[in-house]
Amino acid sequence: MTARGVLRVVGADAITFLQGLTTNDMKPLGSGPKAVSAAFLNAQGRVILDAILYSADGETIFIDIAAEKAAELASLLKKYKLRAKVKISDASSELGVWVALGPDVGRWWVQETDKNKTPADDGSFIFQDPRHLDLGIRAIAPLASDGPVQSFLKANPAWLEVPETQCDMFRLSLGVAEGPAEFVSGKSMPLEANLDMFSGVSFNKGCYIGQELTARTHFRGQVRKRLVPFILAGSGETVKGWEVPGELAGAMAYSGESPKPDDVVARDGKQIGKVVSCRGGVGIAMVRLEHMLGKEEELTDLDIGGKKGSVLLPVWWTVVQEQANEQQSVQD
């Protein structure tokens, strides 16, 4: 994945250091091979950058992030280092990120393999994507070699190499935001961007930068809008090599002009949200929940940036519905 970079944080204080800077609990990284998703926030509770963090031993933590923001995050971490016993480096020139994803990959990894993979001799390792089972597995490995990770990924005859754009489209269809184009730095709220839906926020870990607003929003039930996936009406063609529903396969094969960020999402001429990101015919939009909850059947005929489309309700939508029902019960 050329859009991803890798930072390395090494030292006896690595977990404690990152614990005060991230939305998720870092302590599980100290109990063996483990990956967690999280975000770094500013003091106002807005997202600076999302990340996936992995460690095999608790003292060396790899941070899988957007490559274009690697140097910026490294500089930020060094700013907060103070007396912490850690060394922070940008390893993007040495290490790369690979993914194998799809509806079946994650389930296969859980059922058929040892989930606690230890690093290979060349320092590479494979782990389950902590955000969503259908996002399958990720790997961090040296760029300069065709080592164990690359051999492993190529060995499965059922796995086809596909363009990164198609990987992005599949991820977007799950409602999973990633990178600065989707987590707009200094503006995005972690809960509105579904970080809580994908195991990226701990509400009982204690204090971290930006924690106050995030916790208050959660406990008061004040999430008013969320990122939701959408698809555009296809032309009848379908993308090859993906075992996905026909409407999604058609949207992934969409060859027209895609909606742009901030394009209006409308139903019956009324704005209900705005486009955040779109690849081909698959994207995510920020939509106010009042226009969705209890009105799900009305979300199949939308105007999305002047194009016909529909919301693709994700499996986690039932959690949003349950939260809204609980909040309504409290108010009643």
Side-chain angles (χ1 to χ4, degrees), residues 202-219:
S202 171
F203 294 106
N204 55 20
K205 63 171 280 186
C207 295
Y208 57 89
I209 294 175
Q211 179 260 351
E212 182 178 356
L213 178 60
T214 304
R216 184 169 69 242
T217 301
H218 169 72
F219 289 114

Side-chain angles (χ1 to χ4, degrees), residues 1 163-173 178 279:
M1 300 292 285
E164 286 188 33
T165 301
Q166 289 187 10
C167 294
D168 286 336
M169 285 191 281
F170 181 74
R171 172 181 55 77
L172 289 170
S173 77
E178 182 179 278
R279 309 281 199 285

Side-chain angles (χ1 to χ4, degrees), residues 25-168:
D25 190 355
M26 297 292 109
K27 292 179 182 177
L29 295 180
S31 58
K34 181 76 174 178
V36 297
S37 63
F40 295 86
L41 308 183
N42 62 21
Q44 291 73 43
R46 268 64 176 180
V47 175
I48 296 174
L49 191 66
D50 63 298
I52 297 174
L53 300 94
Y54 173 88
S55 181
D57 57 14
E59 290 197 7
T60 299
I61 298 176
F62 296 91
I63 308 178
D64 171 355
I65 55 169
E68 64 185 279
K69 292 290 185 177
E72 179 181 326
L73 181 59
S75 177
L76 179 68
L77 294 181
K78 290 175 182 177
K79 172 184 174 182
Y80 287 113
K81 177 179 177 293
L82 301 178
R83 296 183 179 180
K85 296 177 181 178
V86 296
K87 292 183 179 180
I88 301 157
S89 61
D90 185 351
S92 302
S93 61
E94 313 165 32
L95 303 173
V97 177
W98 281 259
V99 301
L101 74 173
D104 298 324
V105 176
R107 293 171 180 82
W108 169 82
W109 180 258
V110 170
Q111 295 170 3
E112 303 296 335
T113 72
D114 176 7
K115 296 188 290 296
N116 296 323
K117 289 288 182 179
T118 55
D121 291 340
D122 67 346
S124 62
F125 44 84
I126 301 173
F127 55 93
Q128 184 177 343
D129 193 309
R131 299 171 296 178
H132 194 295
L133 186 63
D134 285 358
L135 286 177
I137 56 177
R138 299 177 78 85
I140 294 178
L143 289 168
S145 66
D146 190 9
V149 162
Q150 294 90 330
S151 298
F152 173 80
L153 295 176
K154 293 175 181 178
N156 194 320
W159 295 356
L160 304 177
E161 187 171 351
V162 297
E164 286 188 33
T165 301
Q166 289 187 10
C167 294
D168 286 336

